[in-house]
Amino acid sequence: MKPSRPRRWIAAVATAAACACVAAMAMAQGVPATGAQAQAEPAAAPVAVRYLDLRRPEPIHGDAAAGKAKSEVCAACHGVTGTATTAIFPNLAGQRAEYLYWELVEYKRGAQPESPMTPLATGLSEQDMRDLAAYYASQQRQPAAQDPQATVDPTLAEAGRRLFLNGDPDKGIAPCQGCHGPEALGYPLAAQADGAHLSPYALYPALRGQQSTYLQSRLNAFQQGTLLDSTNDMIMHGVAQRLDAQTIESLAAWLSSLPP
């Protein structure tokens, strides 16, 4: 099936949605103005940043062997090599180290106080988080652990596929592939650093073969605004507000059905 809009529209809508959301939330939270805005407006007094600005993160390096040795507790939920033991926990194998590291930082900051990850992350050192991120990033993706009683509704999954690839212009929903790639493996240029040796696209996670239950709970958290600790969270909050229960379920059904 051909996309309902040209590829340029897909890229433009995804970029515009991300930029507009981050800009609006950043201004509301007190991030200093930049570029033309800084020239047009008087300088404001510094404001303490209450969230993580992840628009241009540095590449993350860690010791994968050390991370494996530190991952014993993690294996209870995420499996020995990063494939979750049940569908409520995310697969970590094959995610980019940058994404995994900053997720741990958010938990350590207490962004999700009710999560079992919060007390576990609190005791991690900076090097621990880098090593764990490097270890799971080095592992090969495996099929998601699905409920043996569950079956994927092909009609629902097809709706999720169309939404992921094409979006829904009538509802203002940008195609998910604009950030997560056409194969749902993350942004295609995520590994490329910019001129300042930063990685602006490294924090868009791979979603292919992810656990369905986890995907739904994560999208619900973004939609409800219970997860707003970083600029990436703010982007997803803006996106998820335009989704309903059926579109969330359809996206999760299609993504979790894909081979890793």
Side-chain angles (χ1 to χ4, degrees):
M1 180 179 294
K2 294 183 179 180
S4 60
R5 293 290 189 277
R7 290 173 183 248
R8 285 179 295 178
W9 179 86
I10 291 175
V13 171
T15 301
C19 292
C21 180
V22 171
M25 294 299 292
M27 290 175 67
Q29 296 279 341
V31 171
T34 58
Q37 180 187 3
Q39 297 175 7
E41 299 176 2
V47 177
V49 175
R50 298 184 293 274
Y51 61 90
L52 298 170
D53 187 345
L54 302 182
R55 289 173 290 181
R56 300 183 70 203
E58 295 182 358
I60 295 299
H61 304 288
D63 184 331
K68 180 179 181 180
K70 298 173 180 178
S71 68
E72 184 176 351
V73 173
C74 313
C77 297
H78 300 290
V80 175
T81 59
T83 299
T85 55
T86 67
I88 63 173
F89 302 121
N91 294 332
L92 306 181
Q95 290 285 9
R96 292 196 59 80
E98 289 80 3
Y99 172 76
L100 295 170
Y101 167 80
W102 284 108
E103 283 294 297
L104 286 172
V105 170
E106 286 199 41
Y107 283 118
K108 187 176 176 69
R109 281 164 52 91
Q112 301 179 64
E114 297 181 358
S115 170
M117 275 298 302
T118 299
L120 295 173
T122 300
L124 296 177
S125 68
E126 175 70 15
Q127 192 60 51
D128 290 339
M129 293 189 291
R130 291 175 181 270
D131 292 344
L132 286 167
Y135 169 62
Y136 285 117
S138 71
Q139 298 304 295
Q140 190 171 18
R141 294 183 181 89
Q142 300 294 330
Q146 299 293 352
D147 182 345
Q149 302 300 321
T151 57
V152 176
D153 181 344
T155 302
L156 191 66
E158 172 59 20
R161 185 192 72 83
R162 291 197 303 269
L163 190 65
F164 185 93
L165 295 177
N166 305 328
D168 188 339
D170 294 336
K171 295 182 179 179
I173 301 175
C176 309
Q177 68 158 308
C179 293
H180 298 283
E183 300 297 328
L185 290 173
Y187 195 80
L189 302 179
Q192 296 185 15
D194 61 15
H197 305 292
L198 301 175
S199 303
Y201 305 112
L203 269 64
Y204 299 152
L207 303 177
R208 186 183 187 90
Q210 187 55 273
Q211 308 287 0
S212 176
T213 304
Y214 168 75
L215 287 171
Q216 291 185 63
S217 66
R218 189 76 166 177
L219 284 171
N220 284 327
F222 285 131
Q223 184 186 63
Q224 295 162 12
T226 58
L227 183 55
L228 284 174
D229 193 53
S230 71
T231 48
N232 277 24
D233 295 340
M234 294 170 193
I235 291 173
M236 281 306 304
H237 175 57
V239 172
Q241 281 186 310
R242 299 180 182 277
L243 304 178
D244 56 27
Q246 185 173 8
T247 54
I248 288 176
E249 186 180 2
S250 68
L251 283 168
W254 181 66
L255 289 166
S256 64
S257 72
L258 297 175

